[in-house]
Amino acid sequence: MVIAHLTAGILLTAIMAFRIAWRLTKGRHLSDLLRPLDRFFALGVEYTLYVLLLAEIVLGYLWRWGAGQAMSFFGFLMPSPFVRFPAPFLHWIQNIHHWNAWLIVTIATGHGMAAIFHQVILKDGVLGRMLLRGDQAANPLSTQKP
C-alpha cells in the first residue's frame, strides 16, 4: 500500500503541474457574467484547493525524504536529497500531512455538494458549463482564454 500511495503522490504532482500550466495558459476561466459573490466563492474554493493540494504534495515529499527513505514510482526508487530530519520535526510534518488531507477531502466534498445543489435545486447548468466542450453557446457563462 505504501508504494501505491507514493506512486499516487508522484502522479498527483504531475497532474497538478499540468493543471496549473493549463489554467495559467488556455484553461477555462469564469465569465464576467457571474455575480460577484458567486465569483468570490468559486475562485476562493478553487484557489484554496490548489494551495492545499500543493502543500500536501510538498509535505509528502518532505515526510518521506526527511525520514531518509526513497520515493517509489511504480517501484522505481528516487533517493532522498536531504539528510534525515529530527524525529519531532518528522512527526510534525506527518501530522500536518494527515490533517491537510482531511481538510482537502472536506472542502472537495463541500464543493461537490455545492455543484449538486446548483444542478438539482438552482438548475443553473453549472455541471454542463464545467464540461470540456468547444461549444461555448451551450456554456454561456464559461469562457476560454484565446
Side-chain angles (χ1 to χ4, degrees):
M1 283 302 280
V2 172
I3 291 174
H5 184 96
L6 297 173
T7 299
I10 293 169
L11 288 172
L12 180 62
T13 303
I15 290 167
M16 284 302 294
F18 172 78
R19 174 72 175 135
I20 290 170
W22 177 75
R23 181 72 170 85
L24 291 174
T25 56
K26 61 182 177 182
R28 288 186 185 261
H29 296 272
L30 295 176
S31 170
D32 293 332
L33 299 176
L34 282 177
R35 294 184 308 232
L37 190 60
D38 289 340
R39 182 180 205 75
F40 172 79
F41 281 116
L43 290 175
V45 169
E46 179 181 350
Y47 294 148
T48 298
L49 284 171
Y50 276 123
V51 168
L52 292 174
L53 282 166
L54 291 173
E56 189 70 3
I57 290 166
V58 169
L59 288 166
Y61 282 98
L62 287 176
W63 179 20
R64 185 71 178 184
W65 282 341
Q69 299 176 345
M71 288 291 289
S72 177
F73 184 65
F74 293 110
F76 173 74
L77 298 178
M78 292 176 271
S80 172
F82 307 120
V83 297
R84 274 183 75 86
F85 296 163
F89 186 56
L90 276 176
H91 183 68
W92 181 79
I93 291 172
Q94 179 184 7
N95 275 336
I96 300 295
H97 184 71
H98 173 82
W99 288 110
N100 188 53
W102 280 110
L103 184 57
I104 291 167
V105 168
T106 302
I107 293 173
T109 300
H111 185 62
M113 290 170 55
I116 291 169
F117 176 79
H118 275 271
Q119 185 69 21
V120 175
I121 306 297
L122 298 180
K123 300 181 190 300
D124 60 2
V126 145
L127 292 179
R129 292 193 308 266
M130 291 168 55
L131 296 175
L132 292 174
R133 290 187 274 170
D135 181 14
Q136 292 303 309
N139 298 316
L141 295 179
S142 179
T143 61
Q144 286 195 325
K145 275 186 164 179

